Structure formats: structure tokens, C-alpha cells
């Protein structure tokens, strides 16, 4: 039994939907289909979800919504007409037109209502499409499925009891088409997932029905060992562990959000990333434990837009509660740190720079200096974080040495280096301007010289 999720690019038009139909027909074990809203048809196009956000903003600003409604409905009508579908479109049109009649007054609540309708409408249309083309299917609303979530608009969290209800879906004798991206509260309100969207829904459903496999179809053949836009003909990763995937996603890989697979991970359900446009490609398998060779590094990820704050004080390690005081200052200013490597007399605080403005940064520096009586504080902007990831580091000596030597040969200065106790990744902080060169240098070292 498989749960299969298709992303927006896989469902953007009738050509893509025909590919999806062929994929579902090819394997009767694909019993649960999780769908996204229609994505871009061409690069210059706009995703339906983005159009729905515009619709919501137009409504909230008390402006005329006629044009944006028409544009959204036309996306579904185009698909419906080309595929000669008749049943779902009237309901889709009514649902989209009635959004502006909501009695909600809370902006987050309104945004969730509008945004979620993209997946909801598409699931109706796709269920009809399947049924008319040899795949008996039914649309299942998240409420009917049992996707019960905590009442947190824009940041839904699945409730534990939802998994018991989801298990009952196994009794269905048709293919279930379920909209991704949102769940339902106990009061029947819609709440969207903040990160990973439909990926999260697929992972939750896979865990709930105890699937043998969770397939995530996107527009790439596999997860690559580095960004293919930086490294031409980049090495495809055949197999990853959940820990490796989480590290890579957190550090900059965009195929999946780092939190999206947690339900599947906890239920020990393997996940495979595949390409809708090339379904015969093996893709990338993500499991609890790899069966492939235990190479030291499986992937290199990079992400920019960080600020580092270096603080130093002699005998810091003897001052009881020093670290607590640092964290309390960050908490009081509602700042989330990303990394916090430390030495005997110093700590480096790595933050996303978009959390800071000039005033907040000045306040942070002032509080750190006055509260902790620092010897030195140095702030650097425009920092990139580069991650080397691989569970094989535990069994391979000299990974850090090879990495730093490769960066040194390419005249790339390190602002910081950090390795967690799990030894799954090594992080390097460098200047933003050197991010691409650093990834190239490390890729050459670990994948071309290996």
C-alpha cells in the first residue's frame, strides 16, 4: 500500500495530469493520492496558491475581487474543459466565489481559508478525472479523512488521535484523492501547515494508514548531492537516511522542507522522491538506515542570509549561567538562533539576518554587552552556512581536514566551523560571496576525487 503525493508542477495542466493518471494506473498499490494546488504552467506563470493569496489580500483590503476570482476559476475551468469534465467545476466555482462571504474577521483565519481552497478544489477535479479514466476514485475532504489538527492558523500541528482515524481509510475500496496543505480543527476551522504544505499531509497520511511506502513526486529525477544549478551533471543520491535528509533540507536543499517527513520518520515508513516527468527513474530512497556503501559525505548544502555575533569573555566557562543569560536575551527579543557553537571563552551566535533591523540589532548588542560584561563583541553580516552531510563521517577519519584544506586551496576564509555530537554534518560559516565557490570546492574534493 502506497501513499503518493504530487506537487504543483505535476498538476499544473492537462498534459501533466495525463502523466499523473498513467503513474497511478501503473501501480494498484497507489491507494492514497495527495494533491497540491496547480503550479506554474510556464516559468512566467503564477501558482494558484499565490493567486489565492492575492485574492485574500484584495478581500482584506475591501477591494473588488471580481478579476482575481475570474483568473483563479479560469485555471480550473481550462483543465476541466480540456479533459471534458463536468461534475466538479460548478462546486469549485461556487467554493471559490463564496470565499469572500466568510464571516471570519481574523486575518490568519481568512488567509488559511483562501489558501487551502487551491488544494481542495484540485482534489475534487482530479478525483473526477481519475474516475472517468479507469481509476475508481473519490475525493476525501481532510475532515472526512480525520486530519484533525491543533487550532493554530498558519502553523497546523496534527493531533495524535488523528492517526487512529486515518487508519480507517484503509477500508476504502477506491483510490482516495485527498487535498494537501491543511487540516481541520475540532471546531471545523481550516488550519494550514506552515512548512512543507502537501508534503506534510502526505507524510501524515502515510503514517496514519501505515503505508509500505510514501512516494513524493516532483519535477526532478532525484535528490542531488549538491545544487545542480551550481554543479552541472551533479551526482544523484540513490539513498539517504532520514537524519541526512533532515540535515540537508535544513541547510538549504529545497526539494523537501526539513520538518515535512517527521510523521513518516517516526512511523519508520520509507520515502522515495521521484519525477512525474520521468517516473521510470529510480529516484532517491529515504529510510531509517542506508543499505548502500557508507561513504563519508552524501551531500553538500548551502544557505545564505545569516548574521554572526561573536562574543568573548575571559573565564566565561567558569561563570555560572552565562549560556542561560545569552539565551534569555535572545528569548526576550524574540530572536531564534540557528547555531550556537562555543569555546572556553567565546560563543558565536548565528541568526537569520531577516530577523534583525538596525534598531533591534543595536538593542541586542547593548543587552549582551551590559548584561554579560563582555570583553569583545563582533557582528558580521552576509554570512552563508555550508553543510557537509553524511552518517559515514563517524567511520571516516579526516573529513574535516579534507574539507578545510579544500576551502583553503580555493582561498575561502572560514568564519566558523561546527560539528554536532551526532557527527552527521559539519557546518562552515563563510562570506556570502564565496558560497558557490565553496560548494564547488567541496564537491570536487568529496565526489570527484573520492
Amino acid at each position: 500500500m502506497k501513499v503518493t503525493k504530487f506537487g504543483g508542477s505535476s498538476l499544473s495542466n492537462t498534459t501533466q495530469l495525463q502523466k499523473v493518471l498513467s503513474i497511478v494506473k501503473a501501480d494498484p498499490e497507489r491507494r492514497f493520492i495527495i494533491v497540491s494546488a496547480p503550479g506554474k504552467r510556464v516559468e512566467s506563470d503564477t501558482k494558484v496558491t499565490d493567486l489565492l493569496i492575492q485574492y485574500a489580500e484584495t478581500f482584506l483590503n475591501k477591494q473588488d475581487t471580481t478579476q482575481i476570482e475570474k483568473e483563479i476559476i479560469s485555471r480550473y475551468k481550462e483543465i476541466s474543459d480540456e479533459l471534458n469534465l463536468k461534475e466538479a467545476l460548478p462546486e469549485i466555482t461556487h467554493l471559490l466565489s463564496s470565499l469572500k462571504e466568510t464571516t471570519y474577521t481574523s486575518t490568519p483565519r481568512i488567509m488559511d481559508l483562501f489558501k487551502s481552497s487551491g488544494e481542495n478544489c484540485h482534489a475534487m477535479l482530479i478525483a473526477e478525472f481519475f474516475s472517468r479514466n479507469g481509476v475508481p476514485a473519490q475525493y476525501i475532504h481532510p475532515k472526512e479523512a480525520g486530519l484533525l489538527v491543533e487550532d493554530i492558523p498558519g502553523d497546523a500541528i496534527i493531533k495524535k488521535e488523528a492517526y487512529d482515524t486515518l487508519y480507517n481509510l484503509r477500508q476504502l475500496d477506491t483510490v482516495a484523492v485527498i487535498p494537501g496543505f491543511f487540516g481541520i480543527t475540532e471546531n471545523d476551522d481550516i488550519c494550514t501547515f506552515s512548512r512543507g504544505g502537501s508534503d506534510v499531509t502526505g507524510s501524515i497520511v502515510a503514517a496514519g494508514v501505515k503505508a509500505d511506502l510514501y512516494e513524493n513526486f516532483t519535477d526532478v529525477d532525484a535528490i542531488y548531492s549538491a545544487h545542480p544549478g551550481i554543479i552541472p551533471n551533479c551526482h544523484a543520491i540513490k539513498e539517504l537516511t532520514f537524519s541526512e535528509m533532515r540535515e540537508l533540507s535544513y541547510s538549504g536543499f529545497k526539494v523537501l522542507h526539513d520538518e515535512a517527513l517527521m510523521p513518516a520518520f517516526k512511523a519508520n515508513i520509507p520515502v522515495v522522491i521521484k519525477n512525474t516527468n520521468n517516473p521510470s527513474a529510480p529516484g532517491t530512497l529515504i529510510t531509517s538506515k542506508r543499505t548502500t556503501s557508507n561513504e563519508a559525505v552524501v551531500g553538500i548544502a548551502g544557505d545564505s542570509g545569516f548574521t554572526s555575533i561573536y562574543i568573548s569573555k575571559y573565564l566565561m566557562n567558569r561563570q555560572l549561567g552565562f549560556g542561560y543569560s545569552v539565551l534569555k536575551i535572545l528569548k526576550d527579543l524574540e530572536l531564534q538562533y540557528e547555531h550556537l557553537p562555543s569555546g572556553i571563552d567565546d560563543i558565536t551566535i548565528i541568526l537569520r539576518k531577516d530577523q534583525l533591523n538596525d534598531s533591534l540589532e543595536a538593542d541586542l548588542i547593548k543587552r549582551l554587552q551590559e548584561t554579560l560584561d563582555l570583553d569583545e563583541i563582533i557582528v558580521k553580516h552576509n554570512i552563508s552556512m555550508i553543510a557537509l552531510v553524511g552518517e559515514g563521517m563517524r567511520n571516516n577519519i579526516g573529513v574535516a581536514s579534507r574539507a578545510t584544506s579544500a576551502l583553503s586551496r580555493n582561498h575561502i576564509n572560514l568564519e566558523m566551523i561546527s560539528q554536532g555530537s551526532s557527527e552527521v554534518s559539519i557546518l562552515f560559516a563563510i562570506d556570502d560571496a564565496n558560497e558557490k565557490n565553496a560548494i564547488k570546492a567541496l564537491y570536487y574534493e568529496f565526489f570527484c576525487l573520492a
Side-chain angles (χ1 to χ4, degrees):
M1 181 182 293
K2 299 176 182 178
V3 171
T4 305
K5 177 261 176 180
F6 292 96
S9 62
S10 302
L11 305 168
S12 58
N13 56 34
T14 55
T15 300
Q16 292 300 96
L17 284 174
Q18 293 287 359
K19 295 177 185 176
V20 168
L21 176 65
S22 297
I23 290 168
V24 175
K25 277 185 170 182
D27 190 345
E29 294 301 315
R30 292 177 173 130
R31 297 259 310 276
F32 303 95
I33 310 302
I34 312 301
V35 302
S36 300
K40 291 183 178 183
R41 295 162 292 190
V42 294
E43 186 57 36
S44 59
D45 203 5
T46 304
K47 297 177 182 178
V48 165
T49 300
D50 292 335
L51 292 174
L52 287 162
I53 292 171
Q54 293 177 32
Y55 184 9
E57 290 172 344
T58 303
F59 169 75
L60 286 165
N61 291 328
K62 297 181 170 50
Q63 298 172 341
D64 183 16
T65 62
T66 303
Q67 186 57 42
I68 190 68
E69 282 179 60
K70 183 178 178 181
E71 187 174 354
I72 296 167
I73 292 170
S74 71
R75 289 291 298 272
Y76 295 98
K77 187 176 187 304
E78 178 184 293
I79 294 172
S80 185
D81 289 348
E82 290 181 8
L83 295 174
N84 195 29
L85 305 176
K86 302 183 184 302
E87 296 175 8
L89 187 62
E91 186 174 354
I92 290 169
T93 302
H94 173 73
L95 189 154
L96 292 169
S97 298
S98 64
L99 290 173
K100 61 182 180 293
E101 298 170 10
T102 179
T103 57
Y104 288 143
T105 57
S106 162
T107 295
R109 198 68 92 191
I110 290 169
M111 292 301 297
D112 273 8
L113 175 67
F114 279 67
K115 287 190 298 183
S116 64
S117 61
E119 279 75 8
N120 200 25
C121 291
H122 217 21
M124 296 178 196
L125 199 64
I126 290 168
E128 181 186 352
F129 172 56
F130 283 177
S131 295
R132 288 176 62 90
N133 289 275
V135 180
Q138 66 181 104
Y139 155 74
I140 305 288
H141 189 275
K143 179 181 178 180
E144 184 183 356
L147 275 157
L148 189 66
V149 297
E150 300 286 353
D151 193 358
I152 313 172
D155 197 13
I157 299 172
I158 195 72
K159 288 199 167 196
K160 289 182 180 179
E161 56 264 36
Y163 291 107
D164 294 331
T165 308
L166 286 166
Y167 187 77
N168 295 327
L169 293 174
R170 292 172 62 98
Q171 299 173 14
L172 293 172
D173 57 4
T174 60
V175 169
V177 181
I178 303 171
F181 190 34
F182 71 99
I184 302 295
T185 72
E186 290 180 340
N187 293 323
D188 289 343
D189 292 316
I190 286 172
C191 283
T192 61
F193 297 109
S194 65
R195 298 175 177 179
S198 299
D199 294 330
V200 177
T201 301
S203 187
I204 290 169
V205 172
V209 301
K210 301 189 187 311
D212 298 301
L213 182 68
Y214 171 32
E215 298 178 307
N216 194 301
F217 277 85
T218 180
D219 55 5
V220 293
D221 279 351
I223 296 171
Y224 295 94
S225 53
H227 195 304
I230 299 174
I231 309 292
N233 302 313
C234 190
H235 171 76
I237 305 173
K238 293 181 179 179
E239 198 169 349
L240 282 171
T241 67
F242 283 109
S243 294
E244 289 168 338
M245 184 68 234
R246 178 162 161 75
E247 290 282 350
L248 288 168
S249 297
Y250 181 77
S251 301
F253 273 31
K254 305 301 182 186
V255 176
L256 285 173
H257 190 274
D258 63 287
E259 296 176 10
L261 297 183
M262 286 309 294
F265 167 63
K266 289 180 179 178
N268 199 28
I269 294 167
V271 179
V272 64
I273 308 300
K274 292 180 73 68
N275 189 351
T276 304
N277 302 311
N278 185 20
S280 61
T284 299
L285 182 67
I286 308 169
T287 58
S288 296
K289 188 175 181 179
R290 276 194 286 130
T291 57
T292 53
S293 60
N294 204 27
E295 60 265 49
V297 176
V298 295
I300 303 163
D303 200 6
S304 59
F306 294 92
T307 291
S308 74
I309 302 173
Y310 171 83
I311 60 176
S312 175
K313 184 176 182 181
Y314 180 58
L315 296 180
M316 179 193 79
N317 63 316
R318 295 191 185 182
Q319 185 172 329
L320 187 65
F322 189 92
Y324 170 81
S325 298
V326 172
L327 295 176
K328 187 175 186 306
I329 291 168
L330 294 175
K331 181 178 183 298
D332 290 345
L333 294 175
E334 297 183 347
L335 293 171
Q336 176 67 48
Y337 73 89
E338 299 294 325
H339 308 285
L340 205 70
S342 64
I344 298 174
D345 295 325
D346 53 43
I347 293 176
T348 300
I349 307 165
I350 304 291
L351 307 135
R352 296 266 178 190
K353 70 177 182 181
D354 58 10
Q355 295 184 86
L356 296 168
N357 53 41
D358 291 343
S359 174
L360 187 55
E361 182 179 313
D363 192 11
L364 172 60
I365 294 169
K366 181 181 178 182
R367 292 195 191 197
L368 289 169
Q369 185 66 64
E370 293 181 351
T371 303
L372 304 172
D373 189 25
L374 300 172
D375 296 331
E376 186 177 24
I377 182 166
I378 300 172
V379 180
K380 290 189 177 181
H381 298 291
N382 303 317
I383 297 293
S384 285
M385 300 299 298
I386 308 295
L388 280 182
V389 176
E391 290 192 357
M393 289 184 197
R394 299 177 184 134
N395 305 315
N396 286 268
I397 297 171
V399 174
S401 175
R402 287 178 63 186
T404 53
S405 295
L407 294 172
S408 176
R409 288 194 302 271
N410 285 272
H411 311 290
I412 297 169
N413 185 52
L414 290 176
E415 302 290 341
M416 180 210 77
I417 180 170
S418 175
Q419 183 173 29
S421 58
S422 65
E423 296 185 71
V424 177
S425 67
I426 302 176
L427 289 168
F428 305 99
I430 62 171
D431 187 272
D432 273 352
N434 290 320
E435 180 183 349
K436 289 184 178 180
N437 286 337
I439 291 173
K440 289 177 181 178
L442 293 170
Y443 183 86
Y444 181 79
E445 176 67 30
F446 289 98
F447 293 95
C448 297
L449 296 181

